Amino acid sequence: MAKQRIKLIKQLCKGCGYCIEFCPNNVFEKSEEITERGVTPPRIKNPDKCTLCGLCTRLCPDFALIIEEDEGDG
Amino acid sequence: MAKQRIKLIKQLCKGCGYCIEFCPNNVFEKSEEITERGVTPPRIKNPDKCTLCGLCTRLCPDFALIIEEDEGDG
Amino acid sequence: MANRVLTGTRFVHGDWACAEGAISAGCGYYAAYPITPATEIAERIAQRFPVLGGKFIQFEDEIGAIASVIGASFSGLKAMTATSGPGVSLMLENIGLAVMTEAPCVIVNVMRGGPSTGQPTMGAQGDVMQCRWGMHGDVETIALAPQSVQEMYDLTVEAFNLSEAYRTPVFLLSDANIGHLYERLTIPREEELTLVDRKRPTLPPSEYLPYRADESLVPPMASFGDGYRFYSTGLTHDEKGYPDMSVETQDKLVRRLCDKIRRNTDKITMVETLMTDDCEVLVVAYGIAARSAATAVKQARERGLKAGLLRLVSLWPFPDKLLEKMAEDAKAVIVAEMNYGQLVREVERAVKPKPVRFLPKLGENPHTPGEILEAIRRIDA
Amino acid sequence: MANRVLTGTRFVHGDWACAEGAISAGCGYYAAYPITPATEIAERIAQRFPVLGGKFIQFEDEIGAIASVIGASFSGLKAMTATSGPGVSLMLENIGLAVMTEAPCVIVNVMRGGPSTGQPTMGAQGDVMQCRWGMHGDVETIALAPQSVQEMYDLTVEAFNLSEAYRTPVFLLSDANIGHLYERLTIPREEELTLVDRKRPTLPPSEYLPYRADESLVPPMASFGDGYRFYSTGLTHDEKGYPDMSVETQDKLVRRLCDKIRRNTDKITMVETLMTDDCEVLVVAYGIAARSAATAVKQARERGLKAGLLRLVSLWPFPDKLLEKMAEDAKAVIVAEMNYGQLVREVERAVKPKPVRFLPKLGENPHTPGEILEAIRRIDA
Amino acid sequence: MTRREIRIAGFGGQGVITAGYVLANAAAIHDGQYALMTQSYGPEARGGSCKTDVITSDKPIDYPKISSPDCLVAMSIDAFATFASTVMDRGIVIYEASLVDISKNDMDPNKNYHEIPAVATANELGNPLTANMVMLGAVQALTGVVKAEALAASISDRFPKRKELNLKALRRGMELGRLQA
Amino acid sequence: MTRREIRIAGFGGQGVITAGYVLANAAAIHDGQYALMTQSYGPEARGGSCKTDVITSDKPIDYPKISSPDCLVAMSIDAFATFASTVMDRGIVIYEASLVDISKNDMDPNKNYHEIPAVATANELGNPLTANMVMLGAVQALTGVVKAEALAASISDRFPKRKELNLKALRRGMELGRLQA
Amino acid sequence: MTEEMKHPLSDYLRMDRLPHIWCAGCGLGIILHSYVEAIQELSMDLDKIVTVSGIGCAGRASGYVNTDAFHTTHGRALPFATGISISRPDLKTVVISGDGDLFAIGGNHLIHAARRNVDMLVICSNNFNYGMTGAQYGPTTPLNTRTPTSPYGSIENPFNLVALVASSGATMVSRWTVYHVYHLKNAIKKGLQKKGFSFIEVISPCTTGFGRLNKQTPIEMMRQLRDNTKIMKVHPMEATIDPSTEIIIGDFVDVRKPTYGEILRELEAKAR
Amino acid sequence: MTEEMKHPLSDYLRMDRLPHIWCAGCGLGIILHSYVEAIQELSMDLDKIVTVSGIGCAGRASGYVNTDAFHTTHGRALPFATGISISRPDLKTVVISGDGDLFAIGGNHLIHAARRNVDMLVICSNNFNYGMTGAQYGPTTPLNTRTPTSPYGSIENPFNLVALVASSGATMVSRWTVYHVYHLKNAIKKGLQKKGFSFIEVISPCTTGFGRLNKQTPIEMMRQLRDNTKIMKVHPMEATIDPSTEIIIGDFVDVRKPTYGEILRELEAKAR
Ligand SMILES: Cc1ncc(C[n+]2csc(CCOP(=O)(O)OP(=O)(O)O)c2C)c(N)n1
Ligand SMILES: Cc1ncc(C[n+]2csc(CCOP(=O)(O)OP(=O)(O)O)c2C)c(N)n1
Ligand code: SF4
Ligand code: SF4
Ligand code: SF4
Ligand code: SF4
Ligand code: SF4
Ligand code: SF4
Ligand SMILES: [Mg+2]
Ligand SMILES: [Mg+2]
């Protein structure tokens, strides 16, 4: 089976920072980016630390975090 | 002081019969009379048994029973 | 299972006839809050529905009643409520939602004397403008005005038909005089009834746009649970039903909602005429007052006065053109309604510069035929 | 104690001006339920009232708000509520009670796009008929339509004055375009304000009949707690205020309630004219749309077209006579309102057979001056 | 025989409205006539005064209200006092003997008065609630506004279970009426 | 100088509406002009796009809406994309340097474009929230729609407590604007 | 009423409106009697009381009391009373209305007024139905009751009024019946003197409507109020009510909390 | 959204309407997520669910779910839902709406629907204010809170929603927060399967409105939901709620009573 990984859908993110704050494994960090909507999305800094626990996907109010097949290894 | 007595204001009575039923001293009885409004008011059959307790004046829904100065002796 | 349509002739009151009209029309949901003089409709429905499987619920208030009626309508049932003026006043916000989301439903107003609590047990025709203009925003409504117990039945059926055909709330404007009047009622055989059902989608769910209409301007309507999974909102919405605050969408939507009624004014309009062919004085009346007017017009003719009666059976959409035409050859128009001046304004607008004489009437009784006759005589003099 | 009247010039929005207008007018009670685009009025009042001793309460809904306003009015305070279309729809039953019991109060409707939830943040003029016809039964109402931030202030004061003078609810019909518009507002000095208070009884309590009126048709009004011990009811009532279901009492009461407004139409009516003296095309408009119309009329004149503007500052009671007179020498009348055809019907009724051209407008913005100019040009062509 | 107007008045509990219904139903359903019935109450919540108006005609009935009835049935002194004067000239007033106590002075020479002991008769029949049917019988006998069979059929409609008793009351009323005719 | 129309657009939190208020208030209260201001938001509850329209004139202003502004201030790429094309011919478009990234191709030769590094400047001043005042300074310098003193007075009205900082931002913006004029 | 006779309550009642419109045996007259007698016994100034009602048979009560009085719209008595209470804290605002008026259409205003602890006394006549419109079932009608709109028996669970009002925040909550005239009068006296939102449910026979449907005479209904009641000092949640078996009556809540008006005046003092 | 990417919830959401209108950090997105995930995990037929909302930020939720959905008028979601639930007992009727919608203007419908035990699940987003109209105080706002209409601090006592609903007759009553995503989802799953009136209060940060007024960032608000909550199995009356100190959360009521629809169908069977 294909490996899974956490993925950010940047167009949906509103930059609340919940993922950064509440990921138990410190996977996210604040980025410097400002999107077209004036939003600062997170950056996935430690993808390998992710346990795919799914907390961030559920806490993200904007459906911007999903766990998907890692196409790189697919 | 003038003596008091229980008095029926017939025009106000609607004939519910509460006074007859609930007077602890059985002062009232059903009459045969039918008033202009089609109502059968009580008759004061035992005025002397009345203790002026006031229950009937309060239970009468029509303000038709009052305790008043007995003019006869006034 | 009991008979749905109680074919036969009976001596009953108007509210009873209305309830049976609803049942004959296929009404499957009725919600209301008791109010004089409409409560008897609910009482009849409460008796009949459990046997027929119709859903009757007495709500905590009129707002809840109309809201649940709209919910039931979206669930695929023909639905109705009945009340009188104070209840309609409370329902208006949600009747506006029914207009906006295009939920077919019937609202019976058994009118009583107003304003406010007024004369709860007595008849009046004071809510005629309210059912056209009571909602905020631009709407068009349909309203029918029975004049007899028989028409309480017939027009209730018709009200359902129109509401289904145009996907819009329809008012039945009766009054205490008719609701509480006992007369002969003949209920036809089931197969003699003409019933209309809302147009259903023909496209598969994936292609269905709940608010896309063809040239009829009336979109086909899916029901909740049918698999169409549509969204409906009281916000300004596009053909998908999605909120869209653009000027264009608002313009298109409001025009369509109004035009689907306006453009069909001729089709919707129902009137009855009495000796209008050569009339010099045209009397316009509706509902209970039209019965007085009919007597007056007959009496006038007996006296050689050329009077005619135009009875409006439908009040809204208002038939401007028809009025204008009918009044063309008359010297004057008399309007008799049981209020202090409501539909007369519409008549004036339609027939001016033809002179219009208004006969107001307040308090329980319609005009006596004599009062209307007198007015005819004065114009003819 | 802080200043009641905030004399001076400021750059503020219409809702703010309305709140200050109420305070200047002596409003002592304000109840409302939040709703766009009227909430800012409550927010300003909430800031100011505690300092001034005025009573502000946010209710659980609009029905409670208007009911409490009427209660406060009977308690002797000048009282107001503000809302928009959905809120007015809910208030209508109790506004009818205010009419029936003759409780002075002011109802501000900052109109937004309808029907139903419609376009909550956007302006419209779709509730113009509602405030006249939304209540069941026969009523007459007074309604004023500001066109600027300054008029939000001025006409709020005027609305209180009229409600006190005629003992009747008065509508201020604004819209989101004005409520949320920022403009210059000048508040006069307190002593420059003309304020009207309800007529008080002059008879001793034992002789006071709360619903006996002199030829003004407006009865003097006692307040609760003043020792008059009067009873007021929404039922049809006699001069004592007691329920009386007779035809005569209903007839007399409803006529008086309506006539006290109707007979004073000339006195209540406020209009503004622009180059109407010799105009061939009379443009009729009100509120925000009148500003577009004003530009259009000026532009028309620059182009040699004889246009004039009649701006209705008061909408109800509708000034039939005035309209008729103003239109006398015009070739045609143009009505521009931000809806799909409301007050235009009144204009038609008043000026017919003069041709009337209606310019509907739906969705946020008033007509552009160009659109109105184009209509003027077509008539002139 | 065109339009006939009959008013029945009394107080709540006397079966006034029922009487109106039985009469009008008889005309409309069992006598080939047009008929309608209206009712009204005094200010009281229940009880208190009440009346019913019945109109019959061989032509459709437009105006549904009564101003001057051809016939008044008064079941109370109040009803008599309020409505007797509204009866049209040469009309008839039928009143209940024990409940309406009037002297000749209260009588208008242009009207015909008939005293019917409806309550006493009903009591004789063992059910005071049938006084209204006794009155209806008298109305039939004195006015002929509907055929007797129609009234009987109407009673069957209205009292499927207590038909016999009410029919008996009706017949007694007709006899009482005929005695006065 | 009669009617002038200025539109400022961006997203929530940038102080767009405040900028509009300060500008219009300056004209209306401190510059002897007539002025009005309107505002509007995107569909989002809060945040999201927003814009304010300011109209100034030496005569009373009737029609309160803008269709083709004389001047657009774009504080976001979205604002630029949506509104730049609405600017009237020979009008000017002022855009924030770091937030609006456009190529010459996006420019209409009939309009004048001015890039202002408002965010950077505000950051230099130590408060990114003053970018809006930097922009206003540029507007003043590039359009002269209100006098500089009027703007300064308006800032005092609006920020009684943080007046100095905002005035500084305004002046920096004016300088930046003058460099472009 | 004849002229000569002076009724002992004639200062407190609008004698020119008697007899009232209520049916024979209707408990509303007893509630009215208890109310005016309570006022009398407290020697309260009639000029300083406002009696407010909604619509219904009970709602007619305000029309017979010789105070300032307001007969409003159906279900809205409480917001009217709130407007009065807040505007004129020097007056005592009393609401007398029916179970339908206060708990069917008016339920929301009731729980919110209780929550805010607006200073007023609410006397609720509970006759288990909508008397005025002809005895239809309502939110107090016992399950399975046959009424004109529940001809096969009502299928709705009734509210327990005292529980609902108490859990909304009322500071005084009692239930009595019209049979318990002395208790009732005392409860009203307490309520008239209380600062805060006070609520008294009064079980009252609807003799013509509910009584006739249930084939009970007025006297039988009254006997039931005597025989099926139990005075208890319990938590309002436990003050169960089943008219055909047992009705728990008594004074259930009496606490003191700052009223809406008091907090408002405090806030005004601070704001100035 | 870009084409290539298939969102794991794309069958459950109206993807063409994302991003939704809610502010950054608003808890409503989390409630929506929990709702659709609960449906997904139960493998429920999306054709057989109707989602109903009133008006407010929370009320927008129905517009994003890929079920039949109805965005009604302010405060009336419950009667609409009642009409649907009674008409179509084969569907699951779910209401998602705000504390203001359900308990300010809509409070009466709520207590009556609970009393009747109408079969539906009500998910109430409680953000302690009217978010949509700009963060004014409402019937859930803690005493003394400053809002645009209570600039000197609110002077009204808030309702305890779970207590009120439970005392009105609801058969399932829970309170969770958007921080407690797993508990929340499980409660919703239970509610979706439950027959009867079920109520879940979800404490949810209004980040722009309430948060900004109280000078809290979204993250701070979320931390508070984590730190100030205490899961307890108590009587709903004891499930106190004070956002700044302690919020008791948990599943408080779960009983089975015949629903309105069930009793109605029984009655129909008898009547025939
Ligand atoms: C808006 C509105 N809806 C309905 C009515 C009709 N109505 C009048 S009184 C009443 C119920 C009264 O019940 P309750 O309050 O219990 O008083 P009761 O008559 O039983 O004393 C109703 C439904 C009305 N007057 N107004
Ligand atoms: C009849 C009516 N009154 C008022 C409003 C304005 N309004 C819209 S949403 C809302 C309150 C929403 O509060 P809540 O239900 O708590 O939802 P939130 O926005 O906080 O999620 C109000 C008062 C309205 N739309 N309709
Ligand atoms: S799935 Fe869990 S571990 Fe992975 S990023 Fe999200 S919260 Fe962190
Ligand atoms: S939780 Fe979601 S919306 Fe918030 S920052 Fe992370 S990805 Fe963006
Ligand atoms: S006062 Fe007491 S004893 Fe006398 S009659 Fe009345 S109840 Fe009986
Ligand atoms: S209690 Fe009163 S109304 Fe009833 S019978 Fe006795 S006197 Fe008459
Ligand atoms: S109907 Fe019932 S509540 Fe109304 S007055 Fe009669 S007995 Fe009393
Ligand atoms: S205003 Fe509050 S409730 Fe509304 S979307 Fe924004 S954060 Fe959420
Ligand atoms: Mg009741
Ligand atoms: Mg909320």
Side-chain angles (χ1 to χ4, degrees), chain D residues 117-262:
Chain D
T117 315
Q119 299 193 302
T121 60
M122 292 160 189
Q125 298 181 323
D127 311 344
V128 169
M129 294 297 263
Q130 183 192 40
C131 76
R132 170 71 184 85
W133 299 112
M135 289 137 273
H136 63 277
D138 289 291
V139 302
E140 287 279 344
T141 48
I142 298 176
L144 311 179
Q147 69 163 355
S148 64
V149 170
Q150 183 67 47
E151 282 193 352
M152 277 294 268
Y153 175 89
D154 296 340
L155 294 184
T156 301
V157 175
E158 191 56 31
F160 273 98
N161 287 348
L162 289 166
S163 81
E164 294 282 319
Y166 295 100
R167 276 192 73 174
T168 199
V170 173
F171 285 88
L172 188 80
L173 278 183
S174 181
D175 91 318
N177 283 305
I178 303 164
H180 286 171
L181 178 68
Y182 280 80
E183 276 185 327
R184 192 155 55 199
L185 165 70
T186 299
I187 298 181
R189 277 174 298 128
E190 182 150 8
E191 54 280 18
E192 288 167 348
L193 288 164
T194 309
L195 301 186
V196 177
D197 285 321
R198 58 192 75 170
K199 200 164 53 185
R200 297 288 179 175
T202 49
L203 294 171
S206 61
E207 290 165 40
Y208 175 59
L209 294 180
Y211 291 99
R212 167 171 291 173
D214 60 15
E215 66 282 4
S216 77
L217 303 186
V218 182
M221 185 172 181
S223 301
F224 292 154
D226 278 1
Y228 288 87
R229 293 197 217 152
F230 65 99
Y231 174 61
S232 189
T233 174
L235 285 164
T236 297
H237 47 271
D238 59 20
E239 293 185 337
K240 277 186 176 171
Y242 290 175
D244 177 352
M245 294 299 115
S246 70
V247 169
E248 297 67 38
T249 299
Q250 169 76 352
D251 184 77
K252 195 175 150 197
L253 176 62
V254 175
R255 281 177 192 263
R256 182 174 66 72
L257 291 176
C258 293
D259 290 347
K260 75 178 178 181
I261 312 285
R262 285 191 194 175

Side-chain angles (χ1 to χ4, degrees), chain B residues 17-72:
Chain B
Y18 290 166
C19 50
I20 305 173
E21 171 79 12
F22 296 106
C23 166
N25 299 312
N26 204 13
V27 170
F28 304 95
E29 68 178 355
K30 211 164 162 6
S31 76
E32 294 291 284
E33 194 180 341
I34 298 182
T35 68
E36 295 179 4
R37 322 176 71 241
V39 150
T40 302
R43 216 176 60 78
I44 302 180
K45 76 173 160 191
N46 297 319
D48 302 339
K49 283 208 203 157
C50 172
T51 61
L52 298 172
C53 73
L55 181 67
C56 63
T57 68
R58 295 186 169 88
L59 268 184
C60 171
D62 287 276
F63 302 93
L65 292 168
I66 61 176
I67 291 173
E68 66 136 45
E69 308 307 307
D70 188 343
E71 278 143 26

Side-chain angles (χ1 to χ4, degrees), chain H:
Chain H
M1 283 211 51
T2 48
E3 301 294 291
E4 347 78 86
M5 201 180 303
K6 180 147 162 69
H7 198 286
L9 293 171
S10 59
D11 289 346
Y12 297 84
L13 295 169
R14 298 185 185 272
M15 296 306 290
D16 53 348
R17 299 205 62 215
L18 294 187
H20 52 58
I21 66 155
W22 296 314
C23 305
C26 175
L28 286 163
I30 307 177
I31 298 177
L32 180 62
H33 193 290
S34 304
Y35 175 52
V36 296
E37 204 180 356
I39 295 174
Q40 187 185 39
E41 291 187 7
L42 292 172
S43 307
M44 286 175 77
D45 183 351
L46 283 168
D47 287 352
K48 298 298 168 201
I49 300 173
V50 188
T51 312
V52 182
S53 288
I55 301 293
C57 293
R60 289 304 196 98
S62 57
Y64 300 113
V65 194
N66 200 7
T67 67
D68 283 318
F70 199 6
H71 184 226
T72 63
T73 45
H74 188 43
R76 318 303 169 185
L78 269 81
F80 284 101
T82 300
I84 297 164
S85 173
I86 295 178
S87 301
R88 292 293 304 264
D90 57 319
L91 310 181
K92 184 73 205 178
T93 304
V94 181
V95 171
I96 307 184
S97 217
D99 52 321
D101 187 73
L102 294 168
F103 288 88
I105 189 168
N108 205 33
H109 305 303
L110 198 119
I111 58 177
H112 282 274
R115 173 174 71 77
R116 293 190 186 103
N117 196 23
V118 181
D119 184 26
M120 62 171 76
L121 167 62
V122 178
I123 302 172
C124 172
S125 157
N126 182 0
N127 57 9
F128 304 115
N129 77 145
Y130 303 132
M132 183 62 109
T133 48
Q136 297 79 16
Y137 76 96
T140 50
T141 311
L143 203 67
N144 294 323
T145 309
R146 282 171 203 259
T147 74
T149 50
S150 60
Y152 306 94
S154 150
I155 64 171
E156 300 191 8
N157 310 305
F159 279 136
N160 182 341
L161 304 188
V162 292
L164 186 61
V165 176
S167 76
S168 304
T171 53
M172 175 185 137
V173 180
S174 299
R175 176 189 290 144
W176 294 103
T177 86
V178 295
Y179 178 79
H180 299 81
V181 282
Y182 294 101
H183 292 96
L184 175 57
K185 184 183 65 191
N186 286 337
I188 295 175
K189 283 165 80 170
K190 219 173 65 183
L192 284 169
Q193 293 168 289
K194 176 103 192 163
K195 278 268 152 216
F197 190 88
S198 319
F199 178 82
I200 305 172
E201 174 181 1
V202 190
I203 311 299
S204 174
C206 172
T207 49
T208 324
F210 208 70
R212 195 182 288 175
L213 284 171
N214 289 277
K215 301 195 171 45
Q216 284 188 309
T217 66
I219 291 176
E220 283 163 1
M221 296 183 86
M222 208 59 160
R223 278 199 208 115
Q224 219 177 44
L225 295 184
R226 178 189 60 196
D227 301 337
N228 289 1
T229 43
K230 200 156 125 193
I231 302 181
M232 283 177 78
K233 184 95 202 119
V234 294
H235 191 274
M237 302 288 149
E238 285 146 32
T240 52
I241 174 164
D242 179 347
S244 58
T245 57
E246 186 186 76
I247 302 176
I248 295 182
I249 55 177
D251 297 318
F252 306 121
V253 177
D254 187 4
V255 296
R256 180 75 169 94
K257 284 194 299 194
T259 68
Y260 185 91
E262 287 166 349
I263 310 182
L264 179 60
R265 285 189 288 283
E266 226 173 78
L267 180 144
E268 286 172 359
K270 264 196 310 193
R272 268 171 203 155

Side-chain angles (χ1 to χ4, degrees), chain F:
Chain F
M1 183 186 79
T2 56
R3 181 176 173 119
R4 300 285 289 268
E5 302 184 348
I6 291 153
R7 170 165 294 166
I8 309 174
F11 35 73
Q14 289 183 316
V16 163
I17 307 296
T18 306
Y21 180 87
V22 168
L23 177 62
N25 182 63
I29 303 294
H30 302 288
D31 203 24
Q33 302 191 51
Y34 292 89
L36 61 76
M37 175 207 142
T38 59
Q39 49 188 298
S40 73
Y41 301 90
E44 293 82 3
R46 313 258 168 275
S49 62
C50 70
K51 80 170 177 10
T52 174
D53 288 349
V54 172
I55 306 177
T56 65
S57 177
D58 55 358
K59 292 199 292 276
I61 301 165
D62 290 329
Y63 183 64
K65 300 270 174 162
I66 290 185
S67 50
S68 302
D70 300 274
C71 169
L72 169 72
V73 177
M75 301 280 282
S76 75
I77 184 74
D78 225 54
F80 186 92
T82 315
F83 299 118
S85 60
T86 67
V87 172
M88 64 185 312
D89 278 1
R90 284 191 306 274
I92 66 175
V93 178
I94 304 174
Y95 59 93
E96 207 291 324
S98 65
L99 297 170
V100 182
D101 179 21
I102 50 168
S103 65
K104 281 274 176 298
N105 299 345
D106 294 327
M107 296 191 185
D108 174 346
N110 291 317
K111 292 164 194 166
N112 301 309
Y113 295 83
H114 303 281
E115 181 174 290
I116 300 289
V119 171
T121 308
N123 284 339
E124 281 168 31
L125 289 170
N127 188 335
L129 288 178
T130 58
N132 57 349
M133 292 300 119
V134 176
M135 276 300 195
L136 267 197
V139 168
Q140 198 287 325
L142 288 163
T143 67
V145 65
V146 281
K147 291 198 207 71
E149 311 86 79
L151 263 183
S154 181
I155 284 180
S156 310
D157 290 350
R158 182 66 184 74
F159 305 106
K161 287 183 195 139
R162 282 168 301 130
K163 179 172 141 181
E164 285 315 323
L165 180 66
N166 282 288
L167 281 176
K168 203 178 282 177
L170 181 77
R171 281 193 296 268
R172 293 291 292 277
M174 285 169 61
E175 284 159 23
L176 290 168
R178 273 198 292 269
L179 289 176
Q180 301 242 346

Side-chain angles (χ1 to χ4, degrees), chain A residues 11 14 18 21 58 61-63, chain H residues 7 20 22 25 29 37 223:
Chain A
Q11 307 97 296
K14 294 207 183 106
Y18 290 166
E21 171 79 13
R58 295 184 169 87
D62 286 277
F63 302 92
Chain H
H7 198 286
H20 52 58
W22 296 314
E37 204 180 356
R223 278 199 208 115

